[in-house]
């Protein structure tokens, strides 16, 4: 006979507790995960709770280890989280009492194998002035990169017009990247601290850890080059993929200013671009944006060097401002004036953009069948090859929807 504590939400908790009692186990408590106490765990032999970050914390696992309590988790969960604590694989969310009882009586439950180490990378999303869609693309790109069942972080390092928190409905009171830079400056930033100050955004593709930006642009001195560089070094170990949204400006004349020791307004952008493994350079598909992009791209290449990987993206492609052959004109202009032959195109989808703004959610959550969502998914595959993304449902006709997953080959749009 096993003394069990059921810590799942109602009405599931009461039904599961009643079924476990009928089988022969003793249920000594039915509580919410936030109401678990050490006194209750000290009298228990096993604990049933959801396999979520909110419920499964380091303090709870330590308390269970101290009291000798076996943990049985329910739900799809985060395999990386379970393997981190050395816990068995999670049971299905709708597992019946007999499955839970079998897990309680298992002599050697099968634990989650740690995922093979993949190279951690930083992706910076940059674009010239004129709202080419940097922030929107950064959000959707982070969601698509999170499909590889690895931790993905989204950072707002824009010191001119930070917007990720507002676009995602997170408010402007989160500690975010400013707190991370302060801790990094003091030498106290680690993975546990990043877990504390980040906001876990649950999406249809997985969990994205968000480090919000500055709530006032006047706070830009807090994101100094040294602090941000140290923070990104910790983020590289903390998350497999880190997507950074940066501002447009990175004027090189700041390097030769009179006060070399003083803070520089665009040091965060310069640092993020230099630290990035991949730079997604995005331009809007109109003559003004293309002209600005051509001038700034030369400055960008001079800043990061000739060997840096830059993925050029033409966003909001439509026949209006460029005529019928918009893609052909963009490709010819970029190749002629900048020598760029590899270009990814993202279609203009005002309906999806409006829905994302209305619900303060990523596009893939509110309009999964959008052509823009499918194009960003292909862009993510171009950045992160399919060999590293074995579990990705890139051909799902509903995008990130988990309810419908039947194969349908989407029309291929070449990156170059």
């Amino acid at each position: 006979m096993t003394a069990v504590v059921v810590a799942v939400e109602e009405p599931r908790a009461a039904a599961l507790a009643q079924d476990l009692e009928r089988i022969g186990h003793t249920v000594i408590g039915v509580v919410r995960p936030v109401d678990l106490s050490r006194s209750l765990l000290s009298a228990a032999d096993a604990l049933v709770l959801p396999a979520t970050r909110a419920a499964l914390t380091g303090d709870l696992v330590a308390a269970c280890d101290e009291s000798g309590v076996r943990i049985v988790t329910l739900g799809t969960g985060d395999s990386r989280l379970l393997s981190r604590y050395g816990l068995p694989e999670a049971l299905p969310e709708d597992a019946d009492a007999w499955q839970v009882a079998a897990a309680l009586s298992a002599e050697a439950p099968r634990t989650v194998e740690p995922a093979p180490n993949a190279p951690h990378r930083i992706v910076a999303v940059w674009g010239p002035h004129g709202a080419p869609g940097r922030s929107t693309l950064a959000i959707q790109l982070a969601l698509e990169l999170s499909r590889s069942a690895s931790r993905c972080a989204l950072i707002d390092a824009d010191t001119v017009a930070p917007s990720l928190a507002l676009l995602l409905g997170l408010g402007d009171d989160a500690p975010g990247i400013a707190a991370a830079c302060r801790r990094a400056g003091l030498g106290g930033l680690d993975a546990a601290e990043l877990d504390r100050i980040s906001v876990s955004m649950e999406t249809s593709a997985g969990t994205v850890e968000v480090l919000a930006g500055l709530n006032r642009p006047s706070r830009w001195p807090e994101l100094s080059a040294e602090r941000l560089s140290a923070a990104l070094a910790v983020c590289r170990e903390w998350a497999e993929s880190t997507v950074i949204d940066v501002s447009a400006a990175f004027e090189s004349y700041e390097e030769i200013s009179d006060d070399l020791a003083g803070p520089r307004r665009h040091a965060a952008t310069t640092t993020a671009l230099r630290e990035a493994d991949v730079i997604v350079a995005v331009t809007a598909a109109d003559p003004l944006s293309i002209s600005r992009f051509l001038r700034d791209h030369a400055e960008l290449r001079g800043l990061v060097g000739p060997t840096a990987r830059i993925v050029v993206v033409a966003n909001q492609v439509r026949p209006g401002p460029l005529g019928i052959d918009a893609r052909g004109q963009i490709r010819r202009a970029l190749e002629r004036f900048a020598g760029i032959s590899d270009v990814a195109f993202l279609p203009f989808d005002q309906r999806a953009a409006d829905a994302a703004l209305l619900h303060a959610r990523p596009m893939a959550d509110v309009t999964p069948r959008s052509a823009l969502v499918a194009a960003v998914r292909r862009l993510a595959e171009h950045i992160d090859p399919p060999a590293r993304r074995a579990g990705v449902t890139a051909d799902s006709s509903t995008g990130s929807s988990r309810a419908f997953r039947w194969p349908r080959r989407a029309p291929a749009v070449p990156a170059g």
Side-chain angles (χ1 to χ4, degrees):
M1 183 178 298
T2 304
V4 183
V5 175
V6 179
V8 298
E9 297 294 338
E10 296 289 357
R12 169 72 168 149
L16 181 60
Q18 186 177 7
D19 292 341
L20 288 174
E21 290 276 3
R22 291 175 181 174
I23 293 176
H25 296 284
T26 302
V27 178
I28 63 173
V30 179
V31 298
R32 297 183 304 168
V34 295
D35 296 331
L36 284 170
S37 62
R38 287 184 175 270
S39 59
L40 185 60
L41 292 175
S42 62
D45 298 321
L47 171 65
V48 180
L49 79 165
T52 61
R53 292 181 181 272
L56 198 59
T57 63
D59 293 339
L60 177 62
V61 174
C64 290
D65 290 342
E66 182 180 342
S67 302
V69 178
R70 170 175 289 186
I71 299 177
V72 176
T73 55
L74 303 178
T76 53
D78 185 346
S79 60
R80 188 177 184 275
L81 178 67
L82 297 178
S83 63
R84 174 183 176 185
Y85 293 127
L87 296 177
E89 292 181 341
L91 299 177
E93 189 171 0
D94 58 349
D96 57 27
W98 290 103
Q99 292 175 281
V100 176
L104 294 175
S105 60
E107 291 295 335
R110 188 159 58 99
T111 58
V112 178
E113 294 295 334
N117 291 329
H120 294 196
R121 65 180 63 199
I122 294 177
V123 180
V125 181
W126 169 88
H129 292 284
R134 295 185 300 267
S135 299
T136 302
L137 178 57
I139 293 172
Q140 188 59 33
L141 189 59
L143 185 145
E144 296 300 334
L145 291 176
S146 68
R147 294 178 182 275
S148 58
S150 60
R151 170 174 284 180
C152 182
L154 176 61
I155 300 176
D156 190 348
D158 191 335
T159 56
V160 178
S163 58
L164 290 186
L166 296 178
L167 290 175
L168 297 173
L170 302 179
D172 59 357
D173 57 347
I177 186 61
C181 287
R182 287 194 299 269
R183 295 291 294 175
L186 298 173
L189 185 65
D190 54 13
E193 183 67 12
L194 286 173
D195 283 333
R196 186 184 69 84
I197 64 178
S198 64
V199 178
S200 297
M201 180 180 67
E202 298 294 338
T203 71
S204 54
T207 302
V208 177
E209 307 292 342
V210 181
L211 287 174
L214 305 175
N215 55 7
R216 293 188 306 276
S218 60
R219 297 175 57 191
W220 62 264
E222 298 181 29
L223 303 188
S224 65
E226 296 76 12
R227 287 179 173 183
L228 184 60
S229 179
L232 292 181
V234 179
C235 287
R236 188 183 292 275
E237 300 297 327
W238 176 57
E240 282 75 11
S241 297
T242 302
V243 180
I244 311 176
D245 179 25
V246 299
S247 62
F250 53 88
E251 285 84 352
S252 59
Y253 64 76
E254 290 186 331
E255 301 288 346
I256 57 174
S257 62
D258 293 334
D259 186 7
L260 294 179
R264 301 195 307 272
R265 176 63 186 268
H266 307 301
T269 301
T270 303
T271 301
L273 292 175
R274 286 173 172 169
E275 293 287 341
D277 301 292
V278 181
I279 299 173
V280 178
V282 55
T283 175
D286 60 74
L288 178 59
S289 295
I290 294 294
S291 177
R292 289 173 173 171
F293 179 83
L294 289 173
R295 290 195 300 266
D296 293 347
H297 180 268
E299 297 288 338
L300 174 65
R301 182 56 78 180
L303 175 70
V304 300
T307 59
R309 184 185 177 191
I310 300 178
V311 178
V312 178
V313 177
N315 192 21
Q316 304 170 5
V317 178
R318 59 199 187 280
L322 293 175
I324 297 177
D325 187 20
R327 295 189 180 189
Q329 292 195 55
I330 294 172
R331 184 179 290 110
R332 287 190 292 271
L334 294 179
E335 187 171 6
R336 177 182 178 184
F337 296 105
I340 300 171
S341 58
D342 189 4
V343 186
F345 296 96
L346 302 181
F348 180 70
D349 192 340
Q350 189 64 51
R351 175 179 171 272
D354 290 345
L357 286 174
L358 176 63
H359 298 281
R361 297 290 301 170
M363 291 184 188
D365 287 353
V366 293
T367 56
R369 297 190 181 187
S370 167
L372 178 56
V373 172
V376 176
R377 184 172 300 121
R378 291 191 290 272
L379 174 63
E381 293 179 355
H382 181 61
I383 296 173
D384 196 7
R388 297 179 67 246
R389 299 159 51 89
V392 181
T393 56
D395 298 326
S396 174
S397 62
T398 58
S400 58
S401 173
R402 293 180 178 177
F404 306 96
R405 288 186 179 176
W406 59 86
R408 187 187 71 175
R409 177 65 60 181
V413 178

